[in-house]
Amino acid sequence: MATVLVASNRGPVSYTVRDDGSLDTRRGGGGLVSGLSAVSSEGGLWVCAALGDGDREAVRRGVAEPGVRMLDIDPEVYADAYNGIANSVLWFLHHHLYDIPREPVFDADFRRRWGSYRAYNRAFAEALAEAADPGAAVLVQDYHLALVPGMLRALRPDLRIGHFTHTPWAAPGYLEMLPDDIHRELVEGMLGADERGFHTRAWAAAFLADPLVDDGTRVAAYPLGVDGDELRALAHRPAVDARLADLRAETGGRKTIVRVDRTELSKNIPRGLLAYRELLATRPEWRGRVVHLASAYPSRQDLEVYRAYTASVTELAEAVNEEFGTPDWQPVLLSVQDDFTRSLAAYRLADVALVNPVRDGMNLVAKEIPVVSDEGCALVLSREAGAYEELGEDALTVNPYDVTQTAEALHEALSMPAPERAERTKRLATAATALPPREWFLAQLDAVRQA
């Protein structure tokens, strides 16, 4: 039994089965894991899903990390809930990604998959209800588990329940594309919490604007930041120093525009490449003097639309290199490998950071690069990134759909005097570290306990 519980799709640890049948354990990283791991200091329990065969085998063998409980959910149910609903419906709704003339289509197959999403959420609610002490605090994470608060409230009305959404929240008119009964079930699930947290005031306001949400519903903004000391320590390890030297050699001392993203549809990587191409076309003085270091790590490649998107990014980068490249200058250095060491080295090398999502709950890359950039960087930032609320004053703001404006912002960023760039970077780093992961978690925990 636990007095503090966290629930999320992905947990802090994963398992793989070695050739000899033994289990290999790997601990996760990133801001969310760092923040939610504070539950262990509270003597709590982290409930998560078994994501692969190794995780399921660990559950069957009774292997578990202290303070972590994995749920072995039927693989077909999990696939329907995770890929069929969470990533193919709710993600698209909250990020406004649908190609409206053709999508979405809510038919019998959708309702079958929604049934799996409901069953997946119920498995979490039942596990939390079973493990929670009387009056315990439960912090439920993200759109994967939007129904859990309502289900858990019905099972355990004594609990203090919070829900945090890491994505944007869809505008009311957009969310209302859902079938009426499903829309109501989704919102009622969220309303089961005592408090709902979002990264920004804008996303909280979007939730409150839903006609199914009552006046007086408690919401709050908790803008997740980065742990500056930890991030800088990671960025100055010998392995990163070595990769930085390699990148300096590859770029030949030229100015750098850096972006680091998953190949996720909302990240807007193609328009960023188009803006860079327009910069080179309209500002020929930058030809041969700048390199675009683009890291585009494959994401959700089990979905065809994501595979096609990843391929389009590679093709566009190759087209820019073919159009403008010379024997001694490659305009775009694209990496499609998940390489955190390279990303940190690129952060340190960045003269300009390009973060231009069409819609993003927060975007920690916008916060991370100013914290570790060696010489200071100018940030070109989409007004649709959650980070804009905190960083917009010291960034060069762009409409993510406006390629020409983004090209002009890149020119302005590359031309920014070093003293101004350094001052902006200092202020950006201060804002980026205002609410690091541990404090972000504890602030929510305190609020839920007092609700």
Side-chain angles (χ1 to χ4, degrees), residues 360-372:
D360 210 335
M362 173 52 72
N363 196 297
L364 287 179
V365 170
K367 295 185 171 185
E368 291 169 346
I369 297 181
V371 169
V372 300

Side-chain angles (χ1 to χ4, degrees), residues 163-198:
H163 186 282
F164 190 90
T165 301
H166 292 266
T167 64
W169 190 264
Y174 213 87
L175 199 63
E176 288 172 5
M177 286 193 293
L178 284 171
D180 291 350
D181 59 319
I182 302 297
H183 176 204
R184 179 171 295 279
E185 184 178 358
L186 178 68
V187 172
E188 288 179 350
M190 293 284 289
L191 292 177
D194 295 291
E195 181 172 276
R196 288 133 293 270
F198 300 87

Side-chain angles (χ1 to χ4, degrees), residues 33-199:
V33 169
S34 177
L36 297 183
S37 291
V39 71
S40 62
S41 67
E42 299 286 325
L45 178 68
W46 190 330
V47 179
C48 57
L51 301 184
D53 292 339
D55 290 353
R56 295 188 181 96
E57 184 61 25
V59 174
R60 290 164 192 150
R61 296 184 189 181
V63 174
E65 294 288 299
V68 177
R69 179 181 175 189
M70 281 188 173
L71 306 181
D72 185 6
I73 296 166
D74 179 90
E76 291 186 7
V77 171
Y78 179 82
D80 278 346
Y82 182 73
N83 280 328
I85 296 296
N87 289 340
S88 295
V89 176
L90 298 181
W91 182 274
F92 276 65
L93 284 168
H94 289 319
H95 290 86
H96 295 185
L97 293 176
Y98 275 125
D99 179 6
I100 299 300
R102 293 181 293 183
E103 300 174 302
V105 175
F106 296 126
D107 55 10
D109 187 55
F110 160 76
R111 289 188 176 273
R112 179 189 60 77
R113 288 182 279 116
W114 184 265
S116 293
Y117 180 76
R118 184 185 294 124
Y120 165 77
N121 275 251
R122 181 161 296 282
F124 273 85
E126 290 174 349
L128 292 165
E130 177 185 314
D133 279 332
V138 182
L139 297 178
V140 181
Q141 302 298 309
D142 226 357
Y143 61 102
H144 312 91
L145 302 176
L147 304 184
V148 167
M151 293 174 170
L152 185 56
R153 175 69 61 207
L155 293 170
R156 290 288 304 274
D158 60 299
L159 300 179
R160 301 290 188 179
I161 304 170
H163 186 282
F164 190 90
T165 301
H166 292 266
T167 64
W169 190 264
Y174 213 87
L175 199 63
E176 288 172 5
M177 286 193 293
L178 284 171
D180 291 350
D181 59 319
I182 302 297
H183 176 204
R184 179 171 295 279
E185 184 178 358
L186 178 68
V187 172
E188 288 179 350
M190 293 284 289
L191 292 177
D194 295 291
E195 181 172 276
R196 288 133 293 270
F198 300 87
H199 280 303

